[in-house]
Short mmCIF file of all heavy atoms in Angstrom, two decimals:
data_model
loop_
_atom_site.label_atom_id
_atom_site.label_comp_id
_atom_site.label_asym_id
_atom_site.label_seq_id
_atom_site.Cartn_x
_atom_site.Cartn_y
_atom_site.Cartn_z
N LYS A 1 -19.21 -12.04 70.74
CA LYS A 1 -18.94 -11.79 69.32
C LYS A 1 -17.50 -11.35 69.11
O LYS A 1 -16.81 -11.81 68.20
CB LYS A 1 -19.90 -10.72 68.79
CG LYS A 1 -19.75 -10.40 67.30
CD LYS A 1 -20.84 -9.42 66.86
CE LYS A 1 -20.72 -9.14 65.37
NZ LYS A 1 -19.50 -8.38 65.03
N LEU A 2 -17.01 -10.47 69.97
CA LEU A 2 -15.64 -9.96 69.86
C LEU A 2 -14.61 -11.07 70.10
O LEU A 2 -13.65 -11.21 69.35
CB LEU A 2 -15.42 -8.82 70.85
CG LEU A 2 -16.17 -7.51 70.54
CD1 LEU A 2 -16.19 -6.60 71.77
CD2 LEU A 2 -15.53 -6.79 69.35
N THR A 3 -14.80 -11.85 71.17
CA THR A 3 -13.81 -12.89 71.48
C THR A 3 -13.86 -14.03 70.47
O THR A 3 -12.81 -14.60 70.14
CB THR A 3 -14.02 -13.43 72.91
OG1 THR A 3 -15.37 -13.89 73.06
CG2 THR A 3 -13.75 -12.35 73.95
N ASN A 4 -15.04 -14.36 69.97
CA ASN A 4 -15.13 -15.41 68.95
C ASN A 4 -14.48 -14.98 67.64
O ASN A 4 -13.81 -15.78 66.98
CB ASN A 4 -16.60 -15.79 68.70
CG ASN A 4 -17.17 -16.62 69.83
OD1 ASN A 4 -16.45 -17.32 70.53
ND2 ASN A 4 -18.48 -16.52 70.04
N GLU A 5 -14.67 -13.73 67.27
CA GLU A 5 -14.04 -13.21 66.05
C GLU A 5 -12.52 -13.21 66.18
O GLU A 5 -11.80 -13.53 65.23
CB GLU A 5 -14.55 -11.80 65.75
CG GLU A 5 -14.07 -11.24 64.42
CD GLU A 5 -14.63 -9.84 64.12
OE1 GLU A 5 -15.62 -9.44 64.75
OE2 GLU A 5 -14.03 -9.16 63.26
N ALA A 6 -12.02 -12.90 67.38
CA ALA A 6 -10.57 -12.84 67.59
C ALA A 6 -9.93 -14.20 67.42
O ALA A 6 -8.77 -14.31 66.98
CB ALA A 6 -10.27 -12.29 68.99
N LYS A 7 -10.66 -15.27 67.73
CA LYS A 7 -10.10 -16.62 67.59
C LYS A 7 -9.94 -17.06 66.14
O LYS A 7 -9.20 -17.99 65.84
CB LYS A 7 -10.99 -17.62 68.33
CG LYS A 7 -10.87 -17.54 69.84
CD LYS A 7 -11.50 -18.73 70.53
CE LYS A 7 -13.00 -18.62 70.58
NZ LYS A 7 -13.59 -19.68 71.44
N LEU A 8 -10.66 -16.37 65.24
CA LEU A 8 -10.60 -16.75 63.83
C LEU A 8 -9.42 -16.12 63.11
O LEU A 8 -9.10 -16.49 61.98
CB LEU A 8 -11.89 -16.31 63.13
CG LEU A 8 -13.20 -16.91 63.64
CD1 LEU A 8 -14.38 -16.29 62.91
CD2 LEU A 8 -13.19 -18.43 63.47
N ILE A 9 -8.76 -15.16 63.77
CA ILE A 9 -7.71 -14.35 63.12
C ILE A 9 -6.35 -14.75 63.65
O ILE A 9 -6.17 -14.95 64.86
CB ILE A 9 -7.96 -12.85 63.40
CG1 ILE A 9 -9.34 -12.44 62.87
CG2 ILE A 9 -6.87 -11.99 62.76
CD1 ILE A 9 -9.78 -11.06 63.33
N SER A 10 -5.37 -14.88 62.78
CA SER A 10 -4.02 -15.23 63.22
C SER A 10 -3.15 -14.01 63.48
O SER A 10 -2.18 -14.09 64.23
CB SER A 10 -3.34 -16.13 62.17
OG SER A 10 -3.29 -15.48 60.92
N ASP A 11 -3.48 -12.86 62.92
CA ASP A 11 -2.69 -11.64 63.09
C ASP A 11 -2.89 -11.09 64.50
O ASP A 11 -4.00 -10.71 64.89
CB ASP A 11 -3.09 -10.59 62.04
CG ASP A 11 -2.24 -9.33 62.14
OD1 ASP A 11 -1.15 -9.30 61.55
OD2 ASP A 11 -2.67 -8.39 62.83
N GLN A 12 -1.77 -11.03 65.27
CA GLN A 12 -1.88 -10.65 66.68
C GLN A 12 -2.34 -9.20 66.85
O GLN A 12 -3.12 -8.90 67.77
CB GLN A 12 -0.54 -10.86 67.40
CG GLN A 12 -0.66 -10.73 68.90
CD GLN A 12 0.61 -11.11 69.63
OE1 GLN A 12 1.32 -10.24 70.14
NE2 GLN A 12 0.91 -12.40 69.67
N ALA A 13 -1.93 -8.30 65.98
CA ALA A 13 -2.35 -6.89 66.09
C ALA A 13 -3.86 -6.76 65.91
O ALA A 13 -4.52 -5.99 66.63
CB ALA A 13 -1.61 -6.05 65.06
N GLU A 14 -4.41 -7.50 64.96
CA GLU A 14 -5.85 -7.46 64.73
C GLU A 14 -6.61 -8.11 65.89
O GLU A 14 -7.68 -7.62 66.31
CB GLU A 14 -6.20 -8.16 63.41
CG GLU A 14 -5.70 -7.43 62.17
CD GLU A 14 -6.25 -6.01 62.09
OE1 GLU A 14 -7.47 -5.82 62.25
OE2 GLU A 14 -5.44 -5.08 61.88
N ARG A 15 -6.07 -9.19 66.41
CA ARG A 15 -6.69 -9.83 67.56
C ARG A 15 -6.67 -8.89 68.77
O ARG A 15 -7.64 -8.82 69.53
CB ARG A 15 -5.97 -11.13 67.92
CG ARG A 15 -6.12 -12.24 66.88
CD ARG A 15 -5.40 -13.51 67.36
NE ARG A 15 -6.16 -14.18 68.41
CZ ARG A 15 -5.65 -15.05 69.25
NH1 ARG A 15 -4.34 -15.35 69.20
NH2 ARG A 15 -6.40 -15.63 70.17
N THR A 16 -5.58 -8.15 68.94
CA THR A 16 -5.46 -7.22 70.05
C THR A 16 -6.57 -6.18 70.03
O THR A 16 -7.16 -5.87 71.07
CB THR A 16 -4.08 -6.54 70.02
OG1 THR A 16 -3.06 -7.50 70.29
CG2 THR A 16 -3.99 -5.43 71.07
N LYS A 17 -6.89 -5.65 68.86
CA LYS A 17 -7.95 -4.63 68.75
C LYS A 17 -9.28 -5.19 69.26
O LYS A 17 -10.02 -4.50 69.96
CB LYS A 17 -8.10 -4.18 67.29
CG LYS A 17 -6.91 -3.39 66.75
CD LYS A 17 -7.11 -3.08 65.27
CE LYS A 17 -5.89 -2.38 64.68
NZ LYS A 17 -6.04 -2.13 63.22
N LEU A 18 -9.57 -6.42 68.90
CA LEU A 18 -10.82 -7.03 69.32
C LEU A 18 -10.82 -7.33 70.83
O LEU A 18 -11.83 -7.11 71.51
CB LEU A 18 -11.06 -8.33 68.54
CG LEU A 18 -11.29 -8.14 67.03
CD1 LEU A 18 -11.19 -9.47 66.30
CD2 LEU A 18 -12.65 -7.49 66.79
N TYR A 19 -9.68 -7.77 71.35
CA TYR A 19 -9.61 -8.07 72.77
C TYR A 19 -9.68 -6.79 73.62
O TYR A 19 -10.22 -6.80 74.72
CB TYR A 19 -8.35 -8.87 73.09
CG TYR A 19 -8.42 -10.31 72.65
CD1 TYR A 19 -7.33 -10.94 72.06
CD2 TYR A 19 -9.57 -11.06 72.85
CE1 TYR A 19 -7.39 -12.28 71.67
CE2 TYR A 19 -9.65 -12.39 72.46
CZ TYR A 19 -8.55 -12.99 71.86
OH TYR A 19 -8.62 -14.31 71.47
N VAL A 20 -9.15 -5.70 73.11
CA VAL A 20 -9.27 -4.42 73.83
C VAL A 20 -10.74 -4.01 73.91
O VAL A 20 -11.22 -3.58 74.97
CB VAL A 20 -8.42 -3.33 73.13
CG1 VAL A 20 -8.82 -1.94 73.62
CG2 VAL A 20 -6.94 -3.57 73.38
N GLN A 21 -11.46 -4.18 72.81
CA GLN A 21 -12.89 -3.86 72.83
C GLN A 21 -13.64 -4.77 73.81
O GLN A 21 -14.55 -4.31 74.51
CB GLN A 21 -13.48 -4.01 71.44
CG GLN A 21 -12.99 -2.98 70.42
CD GLN A 21 -13.57 -3.25 69.04
OE1 GLN A 21 -14.79 -3.30 68.86
NE2 GLN A 21 -12.70 -3.45 68.06
N ALA A 22 -13.25 -6.02 73.85
CA ALA A 22 -13.89 -6.96 74.79
C ALA A 22 -13.65 -6.53 76.23
O ALA A 22 -14.55 -6.63 77.08
CB ALA A 22 -13.37 -8.37 74.55
N GLN A 23 -12.45 -6.07 76.52
CA GLN A 23 -12.14 -5.59 77.87
C GLN A 23 -12.97 -4.36 78.23
O GLN A 23 -13.37 -4.18 79.39
CB GLN A 23 -10.64 -5.28 78.00
CG GLN A 23 -9.77 -6.52 78.00
CD GLN A 23 -8.30 -6.19 77.88
OE1 GLN A 23 -7.66 -5.79 78.84
NE2 GLN A 23 -7.75 -6.39 76.67
N GLU A 24 -13.26 -3.52 77.24
CA GLU A 24 -14.10 -2.34 77.47
C GLU A 24 -15.53 -2.76 77.83
O GLU A 24 -16.14 -2.20 78.75
CB GLU A 24 -14.10 -1.45 76.22
CG GLU A 24 -12.77 -0.77 75.96
CD GLU A 24 -12.70 -0.09 74.60
OE1 GLU A 24 -13.65 -0.26 73.80
OE2 GLU A 24 -11.69 0.59 74.32
N VAL A 25 -16.05 -3.76 77.12
CA VAL A 25 -17.39 -4.27 77.44
C VAL A 25 -17.41 -4.85 78.85
O VAL A 25 -18.32 -4.59 79.64
CB VAL A 25 -17.82 -5.35 76.41
CG1 VAL A 25 -19.13 -6.00 76.84
CG2 VAL A 25 -17.93 -4.75 75.02
N PHE A 26 -16.38 -5.64 79.17
CA PHE A 26 -16.28 -6.22 80.51
C PHE A 26 -16.31 -5.14 81.58
O PHE A 26 -17.04 -5.26 82.58
CB PHE A 26 -14.98 -7.02 80.62
CG PHE A 26 -14.63 -7.44 82.03
CD1 PHE A 26 -15.12 -8.62 82.58
CD2 PHE A 26 -13.83 -6.63 82.83
CE1 PHE A 26 -14.82 -8.98 83.87
CE2 PHE A 26 -13.52 -6.98 84.13
CZ PHE A 26 -14.01 -8.17 84.65
N LYS A 27 -15.56 -4.07 81.38
CA LYS A 27 -15.48 -3.03 82.40
C LYS A 27 -16.80 -2.29 82.55
O LYS A 27 -17.20 -1.93 83.66
CB LYS A 27 -14.35 -2.05 82.06
CG LYS A 27 -13.82 -1.29 83.28
CD LYS A 27 -13.18 -2.25 84.27
CE LYS A 27 -12.73 -1.57 85.54
NZ LYS A 27 -12.16 -2.53 86.50
N GLN A 28 -17.51 -2.10 81.43
CA GLN A 28 -18.81 -1.43 81.49
C GLN A 28 -19.84 -2.28 82.24
O GLN A 28 -20.66 -1.76 82.99
CB GLN A 28 -19.31 -1.15 80.07
CG GLN A 28 -18.52 -0.10 79.31
CD GLN A 28 -18.75 -0.19 77.81
OE1 GLN A 28 -19.63 -0.90 77.34
NE2 GLN A 28 -17.96 0.55 77.04
N GLU A 29 -19.77 -3.59 82.03
CA GLU A 29 -20.80 -4.48 82.56
C GLU A 29 -20.48 -5.01 83.95
O GLU A 29 -21.37 -5.41 84.70
CB GLU A 29 -21.03 -5.64 81.60
CG GLU A 29 -21.60 -5.22 80.25
CD GLU A 29 -22.98 -4.59 80.39
OE1 GLU A 29 -23.79 -5.11 81.18
OE2 GLU A 29 -23.22 -3.57 79.73
N ALA A 30 -19.20 -5.08 84.30
CA ALA A 30 -18.74 -5.44 85.66
C ALA A 30 -19.31 -6.75 86.20
O ALA A 30 -19.87 -6.79 87.30
CB ALA A 30 -19.04 -4.30 86.63
N PRO A 31 -19.14 -7.86 85.50
CA PRO A 31 -19.55 -9.14 86.08
C PRO A 31 -18.68 -9.56 87.27
O PRO A 31 -19.09 -10.38 88.08
CB PRO A 31 -19.41 -10.12 84.91
CG PRO A 31 -18.36 -9.50 84.03
CD PRO A 31 -18.56 -8.03 84.15
N TRP A 32 -17.47 -9.03 87.32
CA TRP A 32 -16.55 -9.25 88.43
C TRP A 32 -16.17 -7.92 89.06
O TRP A 32 -16.22 -6.86 88.42
CB TRP A 32 -15.21 -9.83 87.96
CG TRP A 32 -15.14 -11.12 87.29
CD1 TRP A 32 -16.10 -12.07 87.15
CD2 TRP A 32 -13.96 -11.61 86.63
NE1 TRP A 32 -15.60 -13.13 86.45
CE2 TRP A 32 -14.30 -12.88 86.11
CE3 TRP A 32 -12.67 -11.12 86.42
CZ2 TRP A 32 -13.38 -13.65 85.40
CZ3 TRP A 32 -11.76 -11.89 85.73
CH2 TRP A 32 -12.11 -13.14 85.22
#
């Protein structure tokens, strides 16, 4: 949901906020 929403937005600052949240989810879940 976070990464798909980020693709819809052209403003880099707003996209950054969503990608930071996505990285937090990644770190919590640890698929890698």
Side-chain angles (χ1 to χ4, degrees):
K1 182 175 182 292
L2 290 165
T3 55
N4 286 333
E5 186 178 343
K7 287 193 282 189
L8 300 175
I9 301 169
S10 58
D11 183 85
Q12 191 173 107
E14 292 302 311
R15 293 182 74 199
T16 293
K17 292 176 185 177
L18 294 167
Y19 286 138
V20 165
Q21 292 177 57
Q23 289 170 78
E24 291 169 353
V25 173
F26 168 88
K27 203 64 184 178
Q28 291 161 10
E29 295 297 319
W32 299 349

